[in-house]
Amino acid sequence: MVKGETVMLDMLQTALDYIKHDDNRKLLSWIGGILVAVVTASWAIFKYRKGKSTSNQPGNQISHSSGVAFGNEMGPGGTFIFVGPDATIGNTASFPPEQLAALVKAATESPTEALTRHLTDTDSNLLELAKELGVHESAITGMLQILGEKEVSCELLPTRLTEIAYRYKGLLQQLQTLQSDDPEVERLRSEAVRSLEHGDYDQADVLLSQAQGIDTAALDAQQKALDTRKFSVAQTLAARGALEAGRLNYRQAADHYAEASTTVPPNSREHWAYLLAEADATFDYGNDFGDNQALREAIDLLRKSLDLRPRENYPQDWAMTQHALGNTLSILGGRESETGILKEAVAAFNAALQVRTRERAPMDWAATQNKLGNALRVLGGRESDTGHLEEAVAAYRAALQERTRERVPLKWATTQNDLGNALRALGEREPDTGHLEEAVAAYRAALQERTRERVPLDWAATQKNLGNALVKLGERKSDTGYLEEAVVAYRAALQERTRERVPLDWATTQNKLGNALRVLGGRESDTGHLEEAVAAYRAALQERTRERVPLDWAATQNNLGNALRVLGERESDTKHLEEAVAAYRAALQERTRKRVPLDWAATQNSLGNALVRLGERKSDTERLEQAVAAFRNALQEWTRERVPLDWATTQNNLGNALVRLGEREPDTEHLEEAVIAYRATLQEWTCERVPLDWALTQNNLGTALQSLGERESDSELLEEAVVAYRAALRERTRERVPLDWALTQNNLGAVLATLGERESDTRLLEEAEVAFRAALQERTRERVPLKWAMTQNNLGTVLATIGERKVDTRLLEEAVVAYRAALQERTRERVPLEWAATQNNLGTALRVLGEWKSDSELLEEAMVAYRTALQECPRDRVPLDWAAIQNNLGTVLRVLAEQKSDTGRLEEAIATYCTALQERTRERVPLDWAETQCNMGKALAVLGELKADKMVLEKAASTLQAAIEIFSTVVNVPLLERTNNNLAYVETLLNKI
């Protein structure tokens, strides 16, 4: 019905608009005149012919009652032209110009009635002229007066009189053809005709003006009624728009508002208001459904609205529109990779503040300050420095000067909530927790007014934000108290953010709860909280569907991938890691580079991390290469110029992937690239700007240098690694970040142990022991059981090495204790690969002890430990680890064989070494290959000696010489010395045979 009414009203409005214009009215008059002229011309011809046959008959008289002369035709524009035989009347009339001049003078100077009487009584020629002109004799005086008033020259009087007469007749004809539904208009027009018949033009004009006034008033009334109905239609359309918006049908709502804006008069305030409503509905669609094009459409509508309400004429409306424009630009800018749109948003808010001053409109000023803070906060999140974040905090605090708790408690709470968001973002950039703690205080302040009873959903929103800040604090602290508080806050929010009431907000909070549980689970030995995190993310995905909110769906898929990745790191199989990769790839279906380039880059970065973990489990390097590709993809959008800190994050992660890849390859190219990546990271992650991130990268740089130094047997690189770890410890203090401090202490211990193995004394090995024991002060079994177990394992290794160096069985026994302690948390069920690594190390300590004590029972325990380790380190999963354990198993078999002169076991040992060499190739891991060659050479020597077999001894010699070729190229005195001793012994045996 509304649409039909609109069409009819539009048609009526079109007709009224048409007849308002003079040219259109003239055209209609012309068309009407043609119709009249056709009839009158026919009648004139008829009269003319009839007149010829009757003109000489007596009794013909001039009719004094006729007011219309036929024979005229209306021309274009409503004027009359002369047609027929009457058109010949002019200067040929029998009335000379001089006589007309006298009559004009008399008509101008004498009263009309006297003149008329004089003319009627005395001048039969003038009466004949009236007859020829076809006008009433009383009209002649009026025509003469017109000639006199216009001072027409004497010679033109006949022509002008004839012209006036014919115009007069045309006018009478036109008036007699007019019709009106209004009787008063009809009466006035009739009276006007009579006035004209008596030559009273002035009175006729007065009467016609009155008729026009009646019609104009009626037309105005109709226009008013039409306008009223149009406004009613527009209001109904707007109501329908609000209804559709309430059903989240934003596109349909925008269509209704658009139609409403075209129904009301253009440039009216209502037209502007409906355009704003259309822009608002379009914004809601773009905001809720991740449609950036819709946001751009909203921006275009708002800019069009600005043109309708210029600042000089409508300053408040202009400022309101600038405010709305800033808000829309702010949301779009948050999704785009460039910061230009965010800067436009800031400019729009600042423009609004030129009108919305604190003195003129304090509450509007405060509202815009608050929104300005939001835009500055997002902009600041993209930049390396904290300038815009600090401006955001200032904007929020400015808003709070007017948005006081006493005056507008709920708006005060809103700004406190937003202030908390900015403080949290600032706190994430800084080494201390001051701003994070201020953020928590701001959220708690907001909750004083945002109570569950008064505004339950706002209360829930702030509980969620409080949880976010507590998670960040918890990541900085060694205990889990803040993380547990965050979980409590999120679960509180879910009491009001129910799935039934606000399904999407419920899903958002489930997503955030998953984040807190994931971080908490990362601190614990069991996987309970990690599994809860996965459950929370999957719950969120029930409402955050790809169809409804594609970008939010993608964000949750990304977070689910994070939780699955951490779970996968704890398990022996790769199921959860592969699920993580699948989740990230699902997220990338919506998080495209074109739509949300920065989010796309974030997921590429997360995908790279998962692929690194998978690659560590696989024998080939395909996944690691995919990880490198993912990180390089991320860097296409996370550029140093655009998002320097995110760029640095990805450079750091790229370095991690390159280290893992480099550890698998014979050359050092990727390890060297890793060092470059970490050093690139340090260009943005400076100690002054982000000291803790700087320390993280120093730690990782140390790891890369350590791997490179071990590969090249380059003590200088190992010493650089020590420098990097010690640098990291300047910021990673025990007081500030105890667990990160402990991690770097652990890594420092590892590189010192490696360096110590290269030297004859035990000073560096003892420093390594000190570092490991320091790490265990924070890496307690209760707090971080798996990391405690890692350091126990490393401590065991350095104790075993010192024990071997000093031939001290006490230290070896301490090493066995350390390994067995590690295995209490490093269980096969929880972390099978780490469990296998410690079983391998335990086997080595038991082997050395058994060899020293000639205790076959200890040697048998060592053999069991190695074979146990191989159950979780198969060749297809971790080929190099599998080969290392095969090498160690060969060694224990050799020692047992030597003790019992058992050639069978010697041959088994040699076969085991050969198995190890299938993966420990000279091309891939030359030092490890040389070590196994050395061990096999010794086994061959013992077998050759027992069998007195020259061929076996010669093979032993060639095997040892091959190992020496590798050892002599690197600085590794103990291995080289031992291999040379073994070769000398073989040569002695050969000389005896």
Side-chain angles (χ1 to χ4, degrees), residues 94 263 445 468 683:
S94 59
T263 303
N468 295 344
Q683 295 173 33

Side-chain angles (χ1 to χ4, degrees), residues 350-384:
N350 282 326
L353 288 169
Q354 294 173 27
V355 172
R356 288 184 159 185
T357 63
R358 185 178 179 187
E359 296 73 24
R360 183 184 299 161
M363 299 313 295
D364 289 342
W365 172 81
T368 304
Q369 286 284 2
N370 193 86
K371 289 293 186 180
L372 173 62
N374 293 344
L376 289 165
R377 175 172 53 82
V378 178
L379 184 59
R382 300 281 181 82
E383 298 168 336
S384 57

Side-chain angles (χ1 to χ4, degrees), residues 71-73 80-84 86-88 162-167 169:
N72 301 312
E73 182 176 343
F80 284 84
I81 60 175
F82 307 129
V83 298
D86 290 337
T88 61
T162 303
E163 182 182 343
I164 291 171
Y166 278 94
R167 289 185 183 278
K169 290 189 290 181

Side-chain angles (χ1 to χ4, degrees), residues 393 397 419-420 423-424 433-443:
V393 170
R397 287 184 167 145
L419 173 61
L423 289 166
R424 175 168 54 84
T433 58
H435 280 123
L436 287 173
E437 288 164 356
E438 284 185 54
V440 169
Y443 293 133

Side-chain angles (χ1 to χ4, degrees), residues 480 520-527 570 739 776 778-793 821-827 830-831:
T480 58
L520 189 57
R523 299 279 182 88
E524 299 169 336
S525 58
D526 61 39
T527 58
R570 301 281 183 88
L739 290 177
L776 288 170
E778 293 295 335
R779 283 188 160 186
T780 63
R781 184 178 179 184
E782 297 71 27
R783 183 187 294 168
V784 280
L786 289 176
K787 292 177 179 177
W788 169 81
M790 174 196 292
T791 305
Q792 285 286 0
N793 176 80
L823 289 169
Q824 294 173 34
E825 293 295 336
R826 278 190 164 183
T827 63
R830 184 186 294 165
V831 280

